[in-house]
Each structure stands twice: as structure tokens, then as C-alpha cells.
Amino acid sequence: MNKTALIISREYLTRVKKKSFIILTLLVPLLFAALMAVPVLVATQTQEHANIMVVDDNEVFINNFKENDKLSFSYQSGNIEEIKKDALDGDYDAVLYLPKSTQKMVANLYYTEEPSMYLRSDLESQIDNIFFDKVLQDSFNINVNQYNTLKKLTQSEITMIQIDEKGEEKESMAELNKSIGMICGFFIYFFIFLFAGQVLRGVLEEKNNRIVEVLISSVKPIELLIGKIVGIALVGLTQFLMWIVLTVVILTGIQIATPNLIDKQAQIENAIEMSGDVQLSDLEETFDAESIFNEISNYFPISFTELILCFLFYFLTGYLIYSALFAAVGSASDNETDSNQLTMPLTMPLLLTIILIMPIADNPNGQLAFWMSIIPLTSPVAMLTRLPSGVPLWELLLSMVMMLLFFVFAVWFAAKVYRTGILMYGKKVTWKEIWRWLKY
């Protein structure tokens, strides 16, 4: 046992002291924080004010464009060639020309410096709304205000209400659950192969450098195998927990440094403009960060604590299973090319789950999702994808028991192969020969 502890300590300290570990540990939280914060910064800070000159041959859009803090409009009639030259040489950022049309409206936007996508989408949306109202009035003699009122009165809305095993009802956000499930599935896929791959490379490196011959003279092969697997598992847990802590710290720092990162008042004004007769007090409550988290927790079928604990369980058991199998493959190989050929059948189930992650997320209680969350080689990704949508307790427990039982089998299999293959050189091993080793 002391020898196994020494191997675990060696594997752990050797990796956490590497520059690559430190750099990756610090870099990944920055990337996570950037993925969350940069789109907000780009969306809110880079949209500069644009002054648009509108030339309308239809006389439909004159004084009908709505201005906001990002857009202002001026109107002029006449020759477009002369107007656009004078306007672009002057104080205008772009010239919007709407030629005569009675059906589909095709407009031209002239500019010297390329505008943002926000400008184009805003102009297209306003043109569509103005032109639609005009056609509605002229061609069908329908009052626009009456049409808008009727449209609001006849809108339907389906509220998703889930009834749990106790008969309690709870509103559900299916799209949110699906998105979080897919994110968890992709993350656990990445983490399992990242750290299980380290076990494979470590075994190959020790075998090729003949270091393993010295180690085997002092410890049993099973002790060496368990020490390597557990040591790298602790590295993975350390890095994973540090990523969580550092990501939270960075995002908190961004929030403190830029409290006005998102212009709340502008969001409220835009929402009022889009929604019509929505009350300001309702929108202020909607944009309150605390109420958003409360609403998410109310709709979410599983608590974040349960989700994190399940993530850690499936990460550890998934890693332990794949690292044991990868260690066995590494011991039976002389080089990375041979090991890649042998690991292909092992990686296909988890890769297949990633390919099928959309159908699993779309129908989390279907037969495909159920069986893929029970089979140990596909369970980590499939079950994490299903969890946010709610999984019966017996299915979750069955999946966990299957993972633990298969882990015991994977360690037995790896120990059998490792014992024979770690000292075998110069021979290309096949799966048929590995099967014979199990009988020794």
C-alpha cells in the first residue's frame, strides 16, 4: 500500500509541477470567462452610433423609422447619386436608398466604412414592419392597430409543467435544460479523454524508455497501474476544481470592474419598444439578476449541487474506466500508432454518444437515451445530457451501479493485460492475442 501511495504521489507531483499544467490551469478559466464576457462586450460596447440618410422613392418610409441610442435618421428626396455623394462626404455614416416597389422591398445601403451587423438587422426589421403595415392597409383595407390587437389576443403560449413522482407540479424550461445537458455532455467527453489520454501516454513513455523495467522490480504491476490511474485522477480533480474557482473569480472581477457592462436601461427601452404595452415595472424585475437565478432554480428539475455531484461521479468513474482500458492498450503497444489502432474500438462508443447528443437531448426519456445512459461506455455523456431534463431516481442509481461494476471489470481486464504486455517489446499485438492473455 505504501508503494502504491508513493506512485500516486509521484504521478501527481510530476504533473502538477509541469509548466504545461500551470499554463493550462490559468489559461482555460480565462478562455471560459472570455467566452461568456466577450460576446456581451462586443454586443454592448462596439455598436457605435450611426447617422443614416434615408432616400425613399415610395414616400412610405419618410419619418417612420424609429430612432434609438445607436441609430438616428434624416430624410431627403432627389437624385440618389448626388445625395449619397454629399451625405457620405458629410456627417452621415450610410445612405439607405429605397427604390420604387409595390411588392418585395429591395433596399440599398451605401457606406464608406462597413457597418455592424446590428445596423443591417435593425434596418431590415424596421423596413419589413413599415412595409407590411402599408400593404396591410392599402391592399386589404385592414386597420393596422386593429390587426396588432387581434394578433396579440390570438397568440398562444404553452407552459411546460412537469409532474414528479410525488405528484408535485413544476414549470419546466425545456430549451434551457437541453442546452445545459448538451454542454455538460461535451465537457465530460473532453475531460475524460484529456486525462485518460495522459495515462496512455505515460504508460507508453515509461515502456519505451525502459523505466518500467526498473519499477516492476520494486512494485507489482497492479500497484503501478493503480498508482498511475489514481495519481492522474487527482491531477484531473485538482485542475477541474481550480478551473471552477478561477472562472468564478474572473467573472466576479469583471462584474465588479465593469458594473455597467450591460446597459440595463437600454435593454428595458428596447424591450418596451418590441413588446408594446409591457409595464416598465415588470421589465425591471425581469432584468434583475437575482430574480433570473431564482426563476432558473424554480424551472430546473435538478439542483445545481446535484448536477455538479453527478458530474464529478461520472467524470471520475468514466475517467477510471477509460484510463484503465487505455493503460492496458498502452502496455500492449510499442508506439503511439499501434495504440491508436487498439484504442479505436474503445473510443467509438463515447464518440457515438457525442454524435447522437442532439437526439438524446431532444428526447431525454426515449429508448435511445435510456439505453445509452445505462451502458457504461456511453453513460457519462448520455446521462449528463439527460440529467437537466429530469431522470427517474431508479434509472440514475442503475446507471451508477453499472458504472461501478464495469469499473471493477475494467481494472481486472487492465491488470491482466498490463501484467503481460508491459514487458513485451517488438511485437505488434492484436485484440485476439490480448484475449488470450486474460486466461493466464
Side-chain angles (χ1 to χ4, degrees):
M1 190 65 184
N2 291 333
K3 293 179 179 179
T4 304
L6 287 173
I7 296 170
I8 293 172
S9 175
R10 171 186 173 273
E11 293 293 334
Y12 179 81
L13 294 176
T14 300
R15 283 169 170 78
V16 297
K17 289 180 180 179
K18 287 183 177 180
K19 290 182 179 179
S20 58
F21 175 87
I22 298 172
I23 292 172
L24 190 62
T25 302
L26 297 175
L27 185 61
V28 169
L30 290 173
L31 292 175
F32 285 161
L35 287 173
M36 299 177 190
V38 168
V40 178
L41 285 169
V42 171
T44 59
Q45 304 296 326
T46 62
Q47 296 172 6
E48 299 180 355
H49 184 273
N51 195 11
I52 310 298
M53 171 63 74
V54 178
V55 181
D56 178 23
D57 291 346
N58 303 274
E59 298 183 354
V60 172
F61 300 90
I62 303 297
N63 298 323
N64 282 329
F65 283 99
K66 295 179 180 179
E67 296 186 349
N68 53 45
D69 58 337
K70 299 299 181 184
L71 287 175
S72 60
F73 297 92
S74 300
Y75 302 89
Q76 190 172 345
S77 300
N79 186 285
I80 181 61
E81 299 298 329
E82 296 178 0
I83 294 174
K84 71 180 181 184
K85 184 178 184 305
D86 294 338
L88 295 176
D89 288 341
D91 299 329
Y92 295 94
D93 299 291
V95 174
L96 178 64
Y97 175 53
L98 300 121
K100 193 73 174 178
S101 176
T102 58
Q103 296 180 352
K104 183 177 179 180
M105 181 58 62
V106 178
N108 295 329
L109 186 67
Y110 300 97
Y111 55 86
T112 54
E113 295 183 2
E114 186 169 349
S116 65
M117 290 298 295
Y118 165 82
L119 174 62
R120 177 177 176 179
S121 62
D122 188 286
L123 291 175
E124 287 180 344
S125 177
Q126 293 206 45
I127 291 172
D128 289 344
N129 292 333
I130 296 169
F131 197 55
F132 179 81
D133 291 346
K134 176 66 175 175
V135 173
L136 197 68
Q137 179 73 48
D138 295 346
S139 300
F140 300 97
N141 197 27
I142 298 175
N143 183 273
V144 174
N145 293 330
Q146 291 178 343
Y147 170 81
N148 290 332
T149 302
L150 181 63
K151 186 176 180 181
K152 289 180 181 179
L153 289 174
T154 55
Q155 282 182 336
S156 62
E157 180 180 350
I158 297 177
T159 301
M160 307 289 286
I161 301 176
Q162 185 175 19
I163 302 176
D164 60 20
E165 297 176 351
K166 298 179 181 179
E168 297 179 357
E169 297 181 358
K170 193 173 187 179
E171 291 189 25
S172 174
M173 299 178 67
E175 292 302 321
L176 175 65
N177 299 341
K178 175 181 175 181
S179 300
I180 293 177
M182 291 179 64
I183 291 171
C184 290
F186 279 113
F187 268 110
I188 203 165
Y189 172 83
F190 169 75
F191 287 139
I192 286 175
F193 277 120
L194 174 66
F195 294 107
Q198 291 186 21
V199 175
L200 174 62
R201 289 190 294 273
V203 171
L204 281 173
E205 181 181 353
E206 290 179 354
K207 184 175 181 179
N208 291 332
N209 293 337
R210 301 297 177 98
I211 297 175
V212 70
E213 296 178 5
V214 179
L215 294 174
I216 293 297
S217 65
S218 303
V219 298
K220 297 178 181 179
I222 186 64
E223 293 177 331
L224 181 60
L225 174 64
I226 293 175
K228 184 174 291 294
I229 291 173
V230 174
I232 297 178
L234 293 176
V235 174
L237 276 178
T238 302
Q239 197 162 49
F240 180 70
L241 295 175
M242 289 183 69
W243 282 343
I244 294 175
V245 172
L246 290 175
T247 301
V248 172
V249 169
I250 292 170
L251 289 174
T252 304
I254 292 174
Q255 182 63 37
I256 294 173
T258 56
N260 298 319
L261 179 63
I262 300 177
D263 190 348
K264 178 180 175 181
Q265 186 62 33
Q267 289 186 346
I268 293 174
E269 291 174 357
N270 290 337
I272 292 175
E273 192 174 292
M274 293 175 62
S275 304
D277 50 356
V278 176
Q279 296 297 319
L280 179 63
S281 59
D282 295 336
L283 286 170
E284 287 178 341
E285 183 179 353
T286 300
F287 283 101
D288 182 59
E290 185 176 353
S291 68
I292 289 175
F293 286 115
N294 289 337
E295 285 297 313
I296 291 175
S297 63
N298 289 334
Y299 285 110
F300 210 49
I302 183 172
S303 70
F304 288 108
T305 303
E306 292 176 37
L307 184 62
I308 290 174
L309 290 176
C310 288
F311 188 97
L312 288 174
F313 173 83
Y314 280 98
F315 162 67
L316 283 175
T317 52
Y319 158 78
L320 291 172
I321 288 172
Y322 275 94
S323 62
L325 297 176
F326 279 18
V329 168
S331 67
S333 309
D334 283 339
N335 53 68
E336 193 168 345
T337 302
D338 292 343
S339 67
N340 288 337
Q341 293 177 355
L342 291 175
T343 55
M344 182 61 69
L346 302 177
T347 58
M348 284 303 295
L350 210 56
L351 183 60
L352 179 63
T353 317
I354 286 294
I355 295 173
L356 296 175
I357 196 169
M358 282 291 290
I360 293 172
D362 286 334
N363 187 14
N365 294 308
Q367 289 296 313
L368 174 67
F370 170 77
W371 287 110
M372 296 198 80
S373 61
I374 299 301
I375 299 171
L377 289 177
T378 61
S379 183
V381 173
M383 184 56 79
L384 263 295
T385 304
R386 294 181 62 200
L387 268 177
S389 299
V391 175
L393 181 59
W394 72 269
E395 291 186 18
L396 181 60
L397 293 177
L398 176 61
S399 174
M400 289 180 169
V401 170
M402 292 295 292
M403 289 291 292
L404 293 174
L405 291 176
F406 195 81
F407 164 65
V408 174
F409 166 77
V411 171
W412 171 83
F413 172 83
K416 287 280 189 177
V417 176
Y418 192 87
R419 181 182 59 183
T420 305
I422 197 66
L423 296 176
M424 183 173 291
Y425 298 93
K427 183 179 180 181
K428 190 171 183 178
V429 179
T430 63
W431 278 106
K432 184 177 180 181
E433 186 166 359
I434 290 176
W435 180 256
R436 287 204 301 269
W437 295 352
L438 300 179
K439 301 176 183 179
Y440 295 165

